[in-house]
Amino acid sequence: MSERLPSHQVPPSPVSRGLPGLTWILGRGRIFCLVVFGVVTAVLALHAAHLGIEKDNASLDAADPAERRFYADFKKSFGSDEDLLLAVTHPHLLEPEGLALLDAVTRTVAGWDGVRRVWSLTNIEELVRGDVGAQPRALLSPPWDAPGMTQHARAAVDRNPDLEGWLVSSDRRTAGVVVQIEDRPGDADYSARLIDQLRGLEASYGHGGAELHLTGVPVQKYDVSGYVARDQRVLLPLAVLVLAGALAVFFRHPSGVIVPLVVAGATVVWTLGIYDCLGHSLNAITSLLPPVLLVVAMASSVHVYDAWQSGHHGGGDGRERVARAVGAIIVPALLCAVTNVQGFLSLGMSGMPAVRQFGMFASIGVAAAFVIGMTAVPAALTYLSPPLARPSDQHGLTLRFLDVTSHLATSRPWAVLLAFTVVTVVLAAGIPLIRSNTDLVGFLREDAPLRIDTSFIDQHLAGTMPVDFVLARRDGDSVASLDAYRRLEQLEGAIAAREQVAGVTSVVALVRQVHRAESTQGVLELPGDDRELRSDLALLDESGHDLVRRFATPEFRSLRVTVRLHAIGTAKSAPLVAGILADAQRVLGPDYTLVPTGALWHVVHDSDRLVIEQTQSFGSAIVLVVLAIGLLLRSVTFTVLAMIPNVMPILWTGGIMGYGGIELSSGTAMIASATLGLVVDDTIHYLWYYRGVYAGDAVAAIRNSTRAVGAPVTVASTSLVLGFWVGAFGSFQPTIYFSLLTGLTMITGVLCDLLLLPASLVLLDRLRTRAPRLPAGPERDQPAHGR
């Protein structure tokens, strides 16, 4: 690796001599330590092997208890809002051939287990005059090849314009089949079976110009769980191969590959095993745990192995060599583990269970990696002999690069400082351009079936994203006045006029049908006075129409208003919902409330809340990391120097997100908190070594530190970056961006540590030299950190 430093520059590490536990681990306890490690790994591996995948995305819902109760009451009153929407396209939809196809699909789906109701043009009812008042009658009925059926079907659709955009498209070539599924909390597989069956209809009916497309919240949940399983099968093995390649290139010896990978693999097994023991299942966020832990867990073992292999700390080839290597790096390694844990634990402030789980178990993984790296790894190294290879054979190119960076930082410190400051100012200006956005469908790859189907339905039928609202009187009385329904009708018009709104549906449509059936004019309109309205509401309640309870509770105390949005993310839907609520306040007046709810609304609401929470968590992470570094370095000056090159990379990444149009979502919002602890690791190792070798000449200390620390830092950081970038082959856009941007932050962090930090140390030394009253340098009795 690097040339061995003179003995006066690397004082013997006193740390190993003060660790009686380490002496036992390397002596009589090494077999016991390795056996315990093997047993614990085997037991937790059994649990990790049975780890399930979340199928309902419940952990992605950050709704507070009050919102959950309101949503539960909503579903109890109106039924589930998580409908499936099957679009059936046929070139002759309203002709006998098309109607027969639509009817066959409708009847087939209605007969399946788990289906509560199905609505389509071939079974929907309209309200017409009957013997005892308005009564429901099928809009269309067989035989579908009856004479004049096409003209009859077109007339039926034309006289019920509320069906357009819901059950039929404006061009009359695409029909919607709305499938309301049963609510089975104890059965997580029934919706998956239904989705597979619905997708299988394409093989039976998708011919003769017909096309079938499927979307809906249950489909999103089903596909997300499938993509999580796919990513686990693909990304984890790929990460192992990439990391093995990076370690092989750097260490050029099998033990240099096997030891770090065993530690990383065991860390993943321990973490996932504990995760399963506590009853959790992987979701779209925690699916990042295996690849993230795989790369993060290697850091401590790489440092131990490198310190042992290099022999910089003496001790010959036996146990003393291992003890000296561990003693040299255990303190900075411990602080690195602490800062990583602090960074990940800061995610615990999130209201989203999935993000909290990720932060908690990533912290557990970091702690496990440190314990394994400081116990099992040293015990195993006592059975090995250091590889016989010249240092230049291993790190020649790396050391030449490090020499260039140290020379540039020490010879042109002001230029380096100015360049980094300019880059920071320019990129930080892009941070305000970042916008928060969550788009469950848009986050999928462009070739994902759900994204293709949703886009097709959104273009050819109507909006695919339903947001539900509940209208009620503040005094709890029935919504039964003509004034209320006129206000609701006016509100529907205001909502429908908004961009990105495809349609609005409420009980008003049914009231207009009743009035048309009861009046002689045959016009879809509201009654003329309160007496007529009360009569029409009574007839509607008694009619038995299957849509009544979908949009109104008994006695009409609460009304459901469904707003169908086009396929947009929360960046547009959040202000849209806010605008609808403002319209409601203006139109409905103070006597009524309009409350948003439903699965989609929770996503919209959680997205905005997530941004605030992650900003707070990042702030708390910075405070905790600063305190930890201050306790180790016991110097305000060095603590500040340690933070500057670690905050800068995060600011750069934020600017790149802003300028590049990369949105803040559940995945990318974790970057700052998650990477803060990672990027500070290299700084800690560098400053720890620098303090040990500083003898009044900052330039010499920097060159020695860069050479000795830079090599293992390079391999650790390279492994981290490559490991994170494996996530670019994932299935979700947020996790792809998380992986790429985290890797990019690691790269810029290394550049800051190799250029900005040494330049700052040179300038600090010059300042101290000019001010004799200031201490000449750190305390000389600090233990050295050598590689």
Side-chain angles (χ1 to χ4, degrees), residues 464-644:
T464 57
M465 301 175 61
V467 178
D468 284 298
F469 297 83
V470 177
L471 173 66
R473 289 183 58 91
R474 291 188 182 276
D475 59 11
D477 202 358
S478 299
V479 183
S481 69
L482 181 60
D483 177 68
Y485 282 84
R486 285 177 174 171
R487 289 175 182 269
L488 179 54
E489 187 178 49
Q490 182 183 350
L491 177 62
E492 287 186 3
I495 296 174
R498 288 186 171 274
E499 188 179 4
Q500 304 299 342
V501 173
V504 185
T505 306
S506 74
V507 74
V508 168
L510 297 177
V511 173
R512 287 194 293 242
Q513 282 197 27
V514 172
H515 184 68
R516 180 178 63 181
E518 290 298 300
S519 69
T520 59
Q521 298 178 354
V523 178
L524 279 174
E525 60 183 6
L526 290 174
D529 55 48
D530 283 317
R531 182 186 60 79
E532 288 185 1
L533 176 65
R534 287 193 294 271
S535 175
D536 289 345
L537 291 179
L539 289 172
L540 179 61
D541 209 20
E542 297 169 359
S543 67
H545 196 290
D546 56 8
L547 287 178
V548 174
R549 290 294 164 254
R550 183 176 173 87
F551 291 105
T553 59
E555 299 182 2
F556 297 90
R557 293 189 179 275
S558 296
L559 306 181
R560 174 183 184 176
V561 181
T562 300
V563 180
R564 299 187 303 278
L565 307 181
H566 289 294
I568 56 176
T570 58
K572 293 182 178 180
S573 57
L576 178 59
V577 171
I580 291 173
L581 294 177
D583 288 339
Q585 188 175 14
R586 173 179 55 84
V587 174
L588 297 179
D591 295 333
Y592 299 90
T593 61
L594 188 73
V595 181
T597 190
L600 181 62
W601 162 245
H602 287 165
V603 173
V604 173
H605 191 43
D606 294 346
S607 178
D608 291 338
R609 185 162 48 190
L610 183 64
V611 176
I612 299 174
E613 292 172 346
Q614 292 310 303
T615 301
Q616 295 172 342
S617 71
F618 179 57
S620 65
I622 288 181
V623 173
L624 292 174
V625 169
V626 168
L627 290 175
I629 295 176
L631 289 175
L632 175 70
L633 300 180
R634 288 175 291 185
S635 167
V636 175
T637 302
F638 274 81
T639 301
V640 173
L641 286 179
M643 292 309 301
I644 292 175

Side-chain angles (χ1 to χ4, degrees), residues 633-694:
L633 300 180
R634 288 175 291 185
S635 167
V636 175
T637 302
F638 274 81
T639 301
V640 173
L641 286 179
M643 292 309 301
I644 292 175
N646 292 288
V647 173
M648 273 189 177
I650 295 174
L651 295 177
W652 293 6
T653 300
I656 291 172
M657 289 179 60
Y659 288 127
I662 300 174
E663 297 159 334
L664 200 63
S665 62
S666 55
T668 54
M670 300 190 301
I671 293 175
S673 297
T675 57
L676 179 62
L678 298 177
V679 297
V680 81
D681 288 2
D682 300 340
T683 308
I684 293 172
H685 284 289
Y686 193 101
L687 287 176
W688 182 259
Y689 192 95
Y690 174 85
R691 288 168 65 94
V693 300
Y694 179 81

Side-chain angles (χ1 to χ4, degrees), residues 145-293:
D145 57 355
M149 176 56 70
T150 300
Q151 292 77 13
H152 174 67
R154 290 174 179 170
V157 171
D158 290 342
R159 69 173 177 265
N160 290 281
D162 292 318
L163 300 179
E164 186 173 308
W166 183 45
L167 296 183
V168 66
S169 61
S170 58
D171 64 2
R172 307 299 193 256
R173 298 186 60 182
T174 301
V177 179
V178 179
V179 183
Q180 186 182 45
I181 62 178
E182 296 177 356
D183 191 12
R184 297 182 180 180
D187 186 357
D189 296 324
Y190 84 100
S191 62
R193 293 192 300 268
L194 283 176
I195 292 168
D196 286 337
Q197 288 175 299
L198 285 167
R199 284 177 166 164
L201 292 175
E202 177 70 24
S204 301
Y205 299 103
H207 50 77
E211 295 181 35
L212 277 70
H213 300 271
L214 180 67
T215 191
V217 172
V219 186
Q220 295 173 10
K221 295 179 178 180
Y222 175 74
D223 283 7
V224 165
S225 64
Y227 288 128
V228 169
R230 175 263 179 196
D231 287 352
Q232 294 304 301
R233 294 192 304 267
V234 174
L235 297 186
L236 197 57
L238 184 58
V240 171
L241 291 176
V242 169
L243 294 176
L247 293 170
V249 168
F250 189 82
F251 289 119
R252 300 186 182 181
H253 193 272
S255 62
V257 177
I258 295 173
V259 171
L261 282 184
V262 168
V263 173
T267 299
V268 173
V269 168
W270 284 25
T271 306
L272 296 186
I274 296 172
Y275 190 80
D276 179 72
C277 288
L278 295 178
H280 298 297
S281 299
L282 286 179
N283 52 63
I285 300 297
T286 56
S287 64
L288 285 170
L289 278 173
V292 167
L293 289 177

